[in-house]
Amino acid sequence: MKKILVATGGGDCPGLNAVIRGIVKRASQEKDWEVWGSFEALNGLMEEPTRLIKLDVKTVAGIHVLGGTILGTTNKGNPMNYPERQPDGTFKTVNRIPWLVDRLKSKGFDAVINIGGDGSQAISQAMFEAGMPVVGVPKTIDNDLSSTDFTFGFQTAVQTASDSFDRLVTTAASHHRVMIMEVMGRNAGWIALYTAISGGAEICLIPEIPYDLDVLVERIKGRYNEGRGFVNIVIAEGAYAKEGTITASKGEFGRHSVRLGGVCFSLSQQLKDAGIEADIRETVLGHTQRGGTPIAFDRVIASVFGVKAMELVLAGKFGQLVILKNNDYTAVPIQEAISSYNVVDPHGTLVQAAKGLGISFGD
């Protein structure tokens, strides 16, 4: 029997289980392949004893409707920069990719399907270059992986954000408030942009368009007449003022990126300091955008991604990332997909359409 290892890395995301199910269901039609899962990304393989699970059609029955991942996930323990304890008790990061590839082969694995975002796919590429047959599946609610029209999980995150925004609109109108809702997305403004358009926001702030505070103040004051009026703002966690910086913290040791968040509170204070007298309230959606049942759109593309990933393995086409492009499911080299970052085009159709709807980006 040939063995394939499946891993889910990075942040959790609606649709992960549907990908796992798609892989297993397709593999079950072959007589000489069996599928194994590694718990918490590749950590389950790297630890001693290993934490692996054999996956079959019974294991994955009905999981496509569940949020999260039955394998668990983590954004710590990156094998490219693995935190290793030293004799004196301190930690330093080391490259464990060669060791990891040797371990995979010693355990009898013939291929890996790695499900994750840009950080996870960088690991996929490193393993591939080290001699391990790898296929990648693009996962992130941020929709920031290039080469694919959509990553699964994004549309569910937008739906969650839009539902929340709709509720804030009514309370803003009732109390004549300025409501600021912060959404995820890291350095890409896709969730904020889609939510602003779907929810009818007055202001949308994204990392790709640094905002001018004076423009925002003028827009907000224009929405009020003798204290009556309201404003709803969607802000991406990576947004910042023209004369400002991104609101971030260093995060935890072993994470490959800084931790964003709290920009809605920074904006709130900026507006108060600039003379906005209306009540301002802040809402951080945070991990609600990652949780819960994936919507039908994400279940479909995640399921197809899983099937296509397994078919790439069967065809011996490794070093590839499954993608959705122009309504067709295909693949591109992983290296190509991670070579650039998929961000909102400030001059693109969506931004121009949003401006045509009267949404201000503070520019």
Side-chain angles (χ1 to χ4, degrees):
M1 294 292 290
K2 297 178 181 178
K3 294 170 61 178
I4 186 166
L5 185 71
V6 177
T8 54
D12 61 310
C13 177
L16 280 167
N17 284 323
V19 180
I20 297 169
R21 176 176 174 271
I23 294 168
V24 173
K25 295 276 280 187
R26 180 62 183 87
S28 69
Q29 299 176 24
E30 306 297 319
K31 295 181 179 179
D32 56 348
W33 280 93
E34 60 183 28
V35 182
W36 289 75
S38 172
F39 285 105
E40 295 177 13
L42 293 165
N43 287 355
L45 178 75
M46 299 177 71
E47 295 171 0
E48 193 62 57
T50 57
R51 292 186 294 127
L52 306 177
I53 181 174
K54 189 174 182 179
L55 301 171
D56 56 28
V57 291
K58 287 186 177 180
T59 311
V60 302
I63 66 171
H64 60 294
V65 303
L66 303 177
T69 163
I70 62 169
L71 295 177
T73 187
T74 182
N75 44 27
K76 301 178 184 178
N78 182 348
M80 298 171 64
N81 294 284
Y82 195 80
E84 192 172 86
R85 185 182 292 274
Q86 302 303 297
D88 62 359
T90 62
F91 284 88
K92 77 171 184 178
T93 56
V94 296
N95 180 12
R96 300 196 71 185
I97 291 293
W99 176 89
L100 175 60
V101 170
D102 287 342
R103 189 167 178 85
L104 280 160
K105 293 181 177 179
S106 70
K107 296 291 184 182
F109 288 105
D110 299 278
V112 174
I113 295 180
N114 197 23
I115 310 166
D118 56 344
S120 296
Q121 298 314 325
I123 295 171
S124 297
Q125 180 63 23
M127 287 193 295
F128 177 66
E129 292 176 359
M132 190 68 210
V134 179
V135 169
V137 178
K139 170 242 64 166
T140 170
I141 65 169
D142 304 332
N143 202 42
D144 57 7
L145 264 172
S146 66
S147 300
T148 185
D149 290 339
F150 293 108
T151 56
F152 71 86
F154 167 68
Q155 296 288 357
T156 301
V158 169
Q159 187 65 56
T160 299
S162 296
D163 289 345
S164 299
F165 188 79
D166 290 345
R167 287 160 173 76
L168 293 179
V169 169
T170 57
T171 191
S174 298
H175 291 274
H176 305 296
R177 285 174 174 157
V178 176
M179 302 295 290
I180 307 173
M181 188 178 80
E182 179 182 317
V183 298
M184 287 181 165
R186 298 202 62 79
N187 301 112
W190 293 110
I191 296 177
L193 177 56
Y194 270 67
T195 301
I197 293 174
S198 71
E202 284 74 51
I203 295 171
C204 176
L205 304 179
I206 58 177
E208 295 86 347
I209 306 177
Y211 60 87
D212 185 324
L213 186 62
D214 292 336
V215 172
L216 298 186
V217 170
E218 182 179 355
R219 177 59 184 270
I220 292 170
K221 288 183 175 179
R223 290 275 301 176
Y224 281 86
N225 181 20
E226 296 182 353
R228 300 291 188 270
F230 65 95
V231 178
N232 283 276
I233 302 172
V234 180
I235 184 168
E237 63 183 356
Y240 59 97
K242 289 182 178 179
E243 284 76 34
T245 57
I246 295 175
T247 303
S249 60
K250 185 177 180 181
E252 302 159 278
F253 183 81
R255 291 173 60 99
H256 71 273
S257 57
V258 297
R259 183 175 181 178
L260 303 184
V263 67
C264 68
F265 299 105
S266 299
L267 175 63
S268 177
Q269 191 59 53
Q270 290 170 5
L271 294 175
K272 292 171 184 175
D273 293 343
I276 295 299
E277 296 180 355
D279 285 341
I280 303 176
R281 296 291 186 271
E282 310 85 7
T283 299
V284 182
L285 287 191
H287 290 80
T288 61
Q289 295 157 90
R290 293 191 177 279
T293 299
I295 64 172
F297 184 92
D298 280 334
R299 292 186 214 177
V300 171
I301 63 171
S303 297
V304 178
F305 276 171
V307 171
K308 290 296 182 181
M310 187 63 212
E311 290 180 345
L312 285 175
V313 171
L314 295 174
K317 297 180 179 179
F318 299 108
Q320 300 284 306
L321 182 78
V322 184
I323 63 167
L324 172 62
K325 197 69 173 178
N326 299 323
N327 209 34
D328 187 28
Y329 293 87
T330 181
V332 297
I334 295 172
Q335 184 61 60
E336 177 183 325
I338 63 175
S339 62
S340 61
Y341 196 65
N342 181 34
V343 296
V344 175
D345 180 359
H347 307 289
T349 301
L350 279 175
V351 170
Q352 297 310 310
K355 290 183 175 181
L357 292 167
I359 299 173
S360 171
F361 290 84
D363 56 343

